[in-house]
Amino acid sequence: MKRIVFASCLALASYMMVSCNSGTTTENKDAVDSAKAVNKEQKPVDKSVSDFAVKATSGGIMEVELGKIAAQKAVNPRVKAFGQMMVDDHSKANDDLKSRAAMENITLPSNMSDDQQKMVDNVNKKTGKDFDKEYMDMMLNGHKDVLDMFQKASADLSDSTIKEFATNTIPAIQKHLDSARAITGKK
């Protein structure tokens, strides 16, 4: 169940996104819902485009936060290195998406969703090998779903600016998935 919930939330989010706002928002309890509401009202682009950008941003924010925790807390050096890779790669992708979304007048969340924050809090409670296992299982399952989400966006989105972001980000997502598979020994 945790695996399904995480995968869904990560897919709602995705790898690569933004930790800052790129438009006007009305900050609510949940920044993701707030961004979606602003985009629905302003209709900057096709709904599927803005929904993808919001999901990718929220996921990217979560990936950076989890990566920071893993880089400090993991006991396995490979897991620590993976966490740092998540921070570096997702911060870069977040910045790219933020600038592209601004060009399209898409409002992005400034924080991850409340559900994602709960998942971060739960994994952060783990220690030692239990933390490493939980974190890497989340990364493995989440990156599978995110890869599917980005491949679909790369094929289907109507906005060329955001579609290009999705296409350009796929190799990093694949690299993350391959790394997670190597570390966990799972497919």
Side-chain angles (χ1 to χ4, degrees), residues 65-76 79-80 82-83 119-139:
E65 184 62 26
L66 283 169
K68 287 177 183 177
I69 295 167
Q72 292 180 6
K73 195 171 184 175
V75 292
N76 181 329
V79 176
K80 279 186 181 282
F82 184 90
M119 288 190 303
V120 169
D121 294 344
N122 285 336
V123 77
N124 195 21
K125 291 176 186 175
K126 304 277 186 183
T127 58
K129 290 181 180 182
D130 289 339
F131 171 83
D132 289 6
K133 182 181 181 337
E134 180 80 14
Y135 173 70
M136 289 310 304
D137 284 348
M138 289 173 70
M139 293 298 99

Side-chain angles (χ1 to χ4, degrees), residues 43-119:
K43 297 182 182 169
V45 291
D46 182 81
K47 184 178 181 325
S48 64
V49 174
S50 63
D51 284 353
F52 168 80
V54 168
K55 289 175 188 178
T57 297
S58 181
I61 294 168
M62 185 174 78
E63 289 289 344
V64 170
E65 184 62 26
L66 283 169
K68 287 177 183 177
I69 295 167
Q72 292 180 6
K73 195 171 184 175
V75 292
N76 181 329
R78 292 175 72 193
V79 176
K80 279 186 181 282
F82 184 90
Q84 189 59 54
M85 179 174 65
M86 294 298 97
V87 172
D88 297 343
D89 291 355
H90 286 283
S91 294
K92 181 180 175 187
N94 290 349
D95 291 342
D96 184 20
L97 182 56
K98 180 182 176 185
S99 66
R100 289 170 185 267
M103 289 188 284
E104 302 302 315
N105 197 30
I106 300 170
T107 298
L108 299 176
S110 57
N111 299 304
M112 68 187 96
S113 73
D114 292 345
D115 288 340
Q116 290 169 321
Q117 184 62 57
K118 287 176 189 171
M119 288 190 303

Side-chain angles (χ1 to χ4, degrees), residues 112-183:
M112 68 187 96
S113 73
D114 292 345
D115 288 340
Q116 290 169 321
Q117 184 62 57
K118 287 176 189 171
M119 288 190 303
V120 169
D121 294 344
N122 285 336
V123 77
N124 195 21
K125 291 176 186 175
K126 304 277 186 183
T127 58
K129 290 181 180 182
D130 289 339
F131 171 83
D132 289 6
K133 182 181 181 337
E134 180 80 14
Y135 173 70
M136 289 310 304
D137 284 348
M138 289 173 70
M139 293 298 99
L140 177 66
N141 294 316
H143 282 81
K144 288 176 185 177
D145 291 338
V146 170
L147 182 59
D148 289 342
M149 183 178 98
F150 272 69
Q151 288 172 333
K152 184 173 179 0
S154 177
D156 298 342
L157 289 182
S158 60
D159 180 87
S160 63
T161 302
I162 304 301
K163 183 176 187 169
E164 181 181 53
F165 166 77
T167 302
N168 292 346
T169 306
I170 289 172
I173 297 169
Q174 185 65 59
K175 178 179 88 170
H176 297 166
L177 178 57
D178 292 344
S179 294
R181 285 177 171 152
I183 293 168

